[in-house]
Amino acid sequence: MSATPSSTTPSTATGAAAPRLTVIGTGYLGATHAICMAVLGFEVVGVDVDPRKVERLAAGEVPFFEPGLPEMLHKALDSGRLSFTTDFARAAEFGDVHFVCVGTPQQRGSDAADLTYVRSAVTELARHLHRKALVVGKSTVPVGTAAELTRLVQEVAPAGAEVELAWNPEFLREGFAVEDTTNPDRLVFGVSSAWAEQQLRAAFAPVVEAHDTPVLVVDLPTAELVKVAANSFLATKISYINAMAEVCERTGADVTALAQALSHDSRIGGRFLKPGLGFGGGCLPKDIRAFKHRAEELGVGQAVAFLGEVDAINKRRRERTVDLVREVAGGDLRGVRVAAWGAAFKPDSDDIRDAPALDVAVLLQQAGADVTVYDPEAMDNARRSYPQLSYAASAVDAARDADVVVLLTEWRQFRAVDPEVLGAAVAHRRVVDGRHALDRDAWRAAGWDYRALGRP
Ligand code: NAD
């Protein structure tokens, strides 16, 4: 975090009292939002249907790994401005602006987003809304959802049309969640009235005042689309360079050098242009699928048909990484001892949703390899979801007597391993760098057979 946010009680630009906030759904997004808004000076009530989560947060424990967030939670609880509950009636009574942050995962057996949680959270809240209030969606949803929820809210709420709906898509990155929430690069307000805009401006006044954050006021469908359009662009950029990696693999060219050369063109830029194992997590994969699905429903599927290709390129990276380990191991994975470094979908997170690392570990095991996983933060989550894999207590322990070490999540501590020292622990000095994160020359100088996708 670059600066500690101020904790003075905020007021609106007109000097009116700051709105009281609730945050419905206290997962990664909601907990972060609730905590940061309380530190910024708002009175906040966080609501979740999971009593265990509510208890842990109320006791000062962040239920997931996010750098800087535990300190912020303590600060927020100490201020007396933050509390957590499972009681929707209490939240409805308390809040002026209600942020909806529940999950929108991929539906089982379909690419569509599952809106069950959003509908249920909004219905449960609306049932208790007896006075004018603003319900603000932050979850990532298919375009058109806000219009549907507006009808739902106004039908269910005792206050009827007094309750308005707005959309404020969230762009935070896990690993940078505090910084992204207190100092976002932009705020998008999807509104249908001047009053709703005023409420949102009041709710974000400390953020905008501190950082001169650009605010874009748009209609509801545009706000919904900004988020999926942004994620589609990022996913496309990653798959683009990974498509180039596939061509490099066939031609003997070096995709790392290619990416570097491309990055000097300021129109292209170097970010998200890193070749490797591709994207995963609880957002990008399901968001591009849900977007494509929604576009097809709307009759504009052709416009985003390329997202199917983006997804396919991304999935092929996982299989190709397994192929490369097999190749390095001599053509057969049966009985080969593999140290799998990483489980989280990216470093500085313990999130294993659609994690490429664990997908690869499972594929290696299914091909007969004896796989041992180590991750600095995601071990508990990985063990719970993948009990069939073996786990080690450290990176070096995982690599002990390994025939191949494969780097799957680019944690700083893996990059810092001395290849000379590690060489003494393994059976064979063979490394597959699934993230193009290791210093190839240093590993080769220490006698390792270093391999990475798209590099000769
Ligand atoms: P999550 O699974 O971590 O959290 C969802 C929370 O909602 C859980 O705590 C769950 O118990 C709770 N919940 C479910 N049903 C509820 C209900 N009816 N009432 C109250 N609470 C309920 O999910 P997340 O990662 O925080 O994502 C939430 C949304 O934000 C998704 O739409 C996601 O796409 C979007 N988003 C996430 C991130 C991120 O980095 N995680 C970033 C931007 C946007």
Side-chain angles (χ1 to χ4, degrees), residues 46 71 94 117 123 193 242 304 311 344 371 383 401 414 429 444 446 456:
E71 294 82 348
F94 172 88
Y117 308 101
T123 307
S193 78
N242 281 333
V304 294
D311 200 12
V371 183
R383 270 204 193 93
D401 298 325
F414 297 147
R429 296 189 179 204
R444 286 198 170 151

Side-chain angles (χ1 to χ4, degrees), residues 23-31 47-50 53 64 88 100-105 116-122 124 138-141 169-174 177 227 231 282-283 286-287 345-346 351 353:
V23 175
I24 320 287
T26 55
Y28 280 87
L29 162 56
V47 189
D48 206 288
V49 286
D50 180 348
K53 197 167 275 189
F64 49 88
F88 278 82
V100 177
C101 300
V102 299
T104 49
T116 317
Y117 308 101
V118 172
R119 290 193 188 111
S120 138
V122 164
E124 195 50 36
K138 276 186 100 59
S139 303
T140 305
V141 292
E170 177 58 55
F171 303 99
L172 74 79
R173 299 159 299 165
E174 288 177 19
K227 175 64 189 177
N231 273 0
C283 289
K286 61 113 176 149
D287 287 351
F345 85 98
K346 67 172 189 180
D351 195 343
R353 290 178 285 187

Side-chain angles (χ1 to χ4, degrees), residues 183-189 201 207-208 211-217:
N183 182 13
D185 44 23
R186 80 288 213 191
L187 286 164
V188 176
F189 297 163
R201 285 194 183 276
V207 171
V208 176
H211 306 286
D212 206 13
T213 311
V215 175
L216 296 108
V217 180

